[in-house]
Amino acid sequence: MSLELVCPAGTPAALRAAVEAGAHAVYCGFRDETNARNFPGLNFSPAELAEGIRFAHARGVRVLVAVNTFATAGAMEPWRRALAAAEDAGADAVILADLAVLDHAARHHPGLRLHLSVQAAAATPEAIGFYADAFGVKRVVLPRVLTVEEIAALNRAVTVETEVFVFGGLCPMAEGRCALSSYATGRSPNLSGVCSPPEHVVYEDDAGGRTARLGGFAIERTAPDEPAGYPTLCKGRFVAEGRTTHLFEDPVSLNAAGLVGRLAAAGVTALKIEGRQRGKGYVAEVVRTFRAVVDAVEAGRDPVAAERLLAGLVEGGRQTAGAYRKTWR
Amino acid sequence: MTAVPAVRLTLGPVLFNWSAERLAAFYRDVAAAGVFDRVHVGEVVCGKRAPFTDAIWPEVIAGLEAAGIEVVLSTLALPSTPRERASVAATAGDDRLIEIDDVTALPARAGRPFVAGPLLNVYNEGAAAFLAARGAVTLCLPVELPLAAAGAIAAACPGVEVELFAFGRLPLALSGRCYHARLAGLAKDSCRFVCERDPDGLAVDTLEGRPFLAANGVQTLSHGVHAFLPTAAEAEAAGIRRLRLSPHTVDMAAVGRLYRAVLDGTTERAEALGALSAMALPGDLVDGYVRGARGCAPVAAA
């Protein structure tokens, strides 16, 4: 197998669904601020993780544990505990972003395989080489701001594996370096593991449609019959130079199914599907479809019309190949 | 009784696309004003802007150093092209202090002194100690960290000077995509440098016309102007040894003098805030982050 399909598991049920649908690996996190999807109702207790890993390993599927937020100053214990719990549960790797957490893992958990989270935003051979040399990181999840050509050049220049996002949410900012959410709400991906947190979202309906507010700021207004995605700050509508536009990013989802062959040729090791906040039905369908695409590409067959198959699952019904195509910029 | 060391003022790098002439004049004034003991120079936001200003830096640096000011060479925050990476490596080899705003510059700096910039993720004492062991002498913390976090980091790393972003639009995000170009219907690769129209950033308002953010090429800033104005005793109690003022088109020497006066206790904070508000700032004053609140929270009354 040359391409590993890495699938989201926001809950134990989603983990089982992903494994049964054909994931080569799943990724998940603990139910606290140590992982970047710290949403209510999601994630794993240490006991649930151990059980999930037993289930996955029995079926030949690897489990990667995200401990990928930035540890709180003066209160690093939850991150240390998460590393120990991941190792105890038998995780195949941990996905880390914070220098302090990486340093602690490299010193105290030499048996743990380390992956660098997209939250570390390592996008150059120098940065990736630094994490490999300093901490023995074996794989880097690449930021979603690179083109396929840039990814190919990067893979020629580094010795570690690379993993790229192929489906799900599209973050137009360099991940792990975005404070837009905390500016508006006080909670952020780096500090709290949340972006555009739901407790700060308010909808107001009137005859003209629906206004979505985040932290009181009106960031989207949709007509009654218009499809609306979750009001993520950078996908909102704003006014600049007198014009109202989706300035930062359209409310679209990433779908790089049509680029899987090119990503494989660019030397990518693993393909990541975003969506730990999604239900098991969604996860199963996306995983099954992408596994078919990967198997087709590996066998040299036409990867069917995957973009069309997945069209019903993308946010607001719209999809994009994002930064992988140079025109995105 | 031991002497209390002063809390010092740093002038951060210019984040906006200012012309070579504007930059040269700006730094001549900064050198003459004598308010800042340390001044950052160089392009942090967009490598495409650099060719327009490359030529002026030797003279700017010479002028600042002749005025007794320590010059720090800031590096690109999101280097990607081979030319940008080469520029970062070249800066990392300089004998002067440099500011690192992306891990890309770390290996080339190889243990020599540097400033960890606010766009490098130093959220805790573990990351601070790791970087201190590799040469960090000053840590300008990420803007979203509250004062309490600065205190914890400073207490755990006494050998490193903790700096806080204290004035200016807050640098909130970086993207591979250029928002000035996107708004103008242009591609990033053929952007025509339209960001030069907005020397303090381009206002980005909500659907209801409420000021919110500001675009600066690939960077997104706050619309509000962050203003953290402690006395020296308050700053020192929080472990802070430096305040960073981020350049805007307003008279930065005057801004620096106000901060100095509050640090030294010769001007009340409320009076200084009033004076700041009366200047031609691009947005209202905010200071939520230092208080552990959201960054857009209006500046608190003294």
Side-chain angles (χ1 to χ4, degrees):
Chain A
M1 183 192 77
S2 57
L3 273 180
E4 181 179 78
L5 192 59
V6 181
C7 305
T11 61
L15 182 147
R16 290 191 293 275
V19 167
E20 286 167 350
H24 297 126
V26 295
Y27 66 100
C28 53
F30 291 111
R31 195 174 293 134
D32 60 24
E33 72 272 34
T34 64
N35 95 84
R37 282 292 180 277
N38 180 25
F39 288 109
L42 287 190
N43 300 316
F44 289 67
S45 68
E48 287 167 344
L49 180 68
E51 173 53 33
I53 290 176
R54 274 194 294 277
F55 179 86
H57 283 181
R59 288 152 185 83
V61 174
R62 306 202 311 148
V63 178
L64 319 177
V65 178
V67 185
N68 59 345
T69 48
F70 292 82
T72 305
M76 288 192 54
E77 194 47 36
W79 285 263
R80 296 192 189 109
R81 260 200 323 267
L83 289 172
E87 184 166 49
D88 289 348
D92 296 282
V94 285
I95 309 168
L96 314 179
D98 183 4
L99 289 171
V101 179
L102 283 156
D103 192 39
H104 182 83
R107 287 171 194 260
H108 300 282
H109 301 278
L112 264 181
R113 179 181 158 97
L114 308 187
H115 289 187
L116 191 69
S117 169
V118 69
Q119 296 296 119
T124 64
E126 294 82 8
I128 291 169
F130 170 80
Y131 285 105
D133 293 344
F135 308 115
V137 162
K138 297 288 191 292
R139 180 186 292 181
V140 172
V141 185
L142 295 179
R144 281 171 268 195
V145 295
L146 299 169
T147 64
V148 175
E149 293 78 9
E150 286 169 341
I151 290 168
L154 198 53
N155 277 323
R156 288 192 292 273
V158 302
T159 55
V160 299
E161 299 172 359
T162 56
E163 177 173 315
V164 299
F165 284 87
V166 289
F167 193 78
L170 173 67
C171 183
M173 305 303 178
E175 284 143 313
R177 301 172 78 184
C178 176
L180 291 175
S181 186
S182 69
Y183 183 68
T185 73
R187 302 187 76 214
S188 74
N190 287 5
L191 288 171
S192 321
V194 291
C195 169
S196 308
E199 72 273 19
H200 290 273
V201 172
V202 172
Y203 296 99
E204 277 169 21
D205 291 317
D206 60 29
R210 163 171 285 196
T211 300
R213 291 178 190 281
L214 181 74
F217 295 99
I219 63 168
E220 189 57 284
R221 187 178 291 143
T222 45
D225 55 347
E226 196 178 344
Y230 182 81
T232 303
L233 202 164
C234 59
K235 294 181 188 144
R237 236 184 283 238
F238 300 100
V239 182
E241 288 182 340
R243 287 192 291 131
T244 302
T245 63
H246 287 109
L247 177 64
F248 303 110
E249 180 56 279
D250 298 299
V252 294
S253 286
L254 174 68
N255 183 3
L259 297 175
V260 168
R262 289 183 57 206
L263 289 168
V268 163
T269 297
L271 306 176
K272 183 166 219 151
I273 294 170
E274 190 268 351
R276 281 193 279 153
Q277 70 281 27
R278 300 290 196 151
K280 62 181 181 177
Y282 169 94
V283 168
E285 189 170 350
V286 173
V287 171
R288 203 175 296 117
T289 307
F290 261 92
R291 178 60 187 268
V293 171
V294 169
D295 288 348
V297 167
E298 300 257 296
R301 299 193 308 268
D302 178 15
V304 296
E307 297 192 47
R308 182 174 50 78
L309 289 175
L310 293 161
L313 294 166
V314 300
E315 196 175 350
R318 297 170 63 193
Q319 51 186 322
T320 174
Y324 295 131
R325 298 196 199 277
K326 210 173 177 185
T327 48
W328 179 79
R329 292 171 174 172
Chain B
M1 191 174 139
T2 53
V4 180
V7 175
R8 301 198 276 185
L9 293 179
T10 300
L11 185 69
V14 171
L15 300 177
F16 306 101
N17 186 3
W18 291 5
S19 68
E21 296 72 31
R22 180 174 213 145
L23 284 169
F26 175 74
Y27 285 111
R28 272 196 299 275
D29 291 348
V30 167
V35 182
F36 303 99
D37 79 296
R38 179 185 280 182
V39 172
H40 287 241
V41 300
E43 176 59 49
V44 170
V45 174
C46 178
K48 289 187 65 185
R49 298 171 181 171
F52 295 100
T53 54
D54 277 348
I56 66 161
W57 296 122
E59 196 176 324
V60 165
I61 292 166
L64 290 166
E65 288 179 342
I69 294 167
E70 181 182 28
V71 171
V72 180
L73 310 179
S74 290
T75 58
L76 272 178
L78 199 61
S80 60
T81 66
R83 189 176 57 74
E84 289 168 352
R85 287 162 45 215
S87 149
V88 167
T91 305
D94 201 281
D95 288 336
R96 292 180 185 83
L97 197 56
I98 72 162
E99 176 184 37
I100 291 181
D101 267 314
D102 185 271
V103 169
T104 298
L106 268 182
R109 195 59 182 173
R112 283 173 300 149
F114 65 90
V115 177
L119 304 175
L120 202 62
N121 283 344
V122 182
Y123 278 88
N124 53 58
E125 63 277 19
F130 179 88
L131 291 176
R134 277 154 188 78
V137 293
T138 301
L139 302 167
C140 186
L141 299 178
V143 295
E144 61 178 356
L145 275 183
L147 268 190
I153 291 168
C157 302
V160 184
E161 198 179 50
V162 171
E163 176 175 314
L164 223 59
F165 189 96
F167 174 81
R169 281 185 157 169
L170 293 154
L172 296 177
L174 292 162
S175 175
R177 168 185 264 182
C178 174
Y179 297 115
H180 262 97
R182 179 165 154 88
L183 193 66
L186 299 167
K188 181 185 175 190
D189 294 339
S190 53
C191 67
R192 298 185 206 158
F193 302 97
V194 287
C195 55
E196 71 187 357
R197 293 178 200 157
D198 300 299
D200 288 298
L202 168 66
V204 175
D205 299 338
T206 70
L207 293 167
E208 296 168 327
R210 184 172 166 199
F212 185 23
L213 301 170
N216 172 39
V218 300
Q219 182 179 50
T220 304
L221 300 130
S222 62
H223 189 283
V225 175
H226 182 71
F228 171 57
L229 279 149
T231 63
E234 288 165 346
E236 286 190 279
I240 292 156
R241 305 285 300 280
R242 275 189 180 276
L243 300 180
R244 172 176 297 210
L245 279 51
S246 188
H248 281 281
T249 55
V250 68
D251 181 350
M252 290 305 297
V255 175
R257 281 191 289 270
L258 275 175
Y259 274 75
R260 183 80 264 160
V262 176
L263 283 171
D264 295 345
T266 57
T267 297
E268 292 291 320
R269 184 168 167 275
E271 191 185 328
L273 284 173
L276 272 184
S277 301
M279 292 180 169
L281 300 177
D284 291 339
L285 297 177
V286 299
D287 74 347
Y289 277 142
V290 286
R291 294 181 281 122
R294 56 192 193 146
C296 66
V299 78

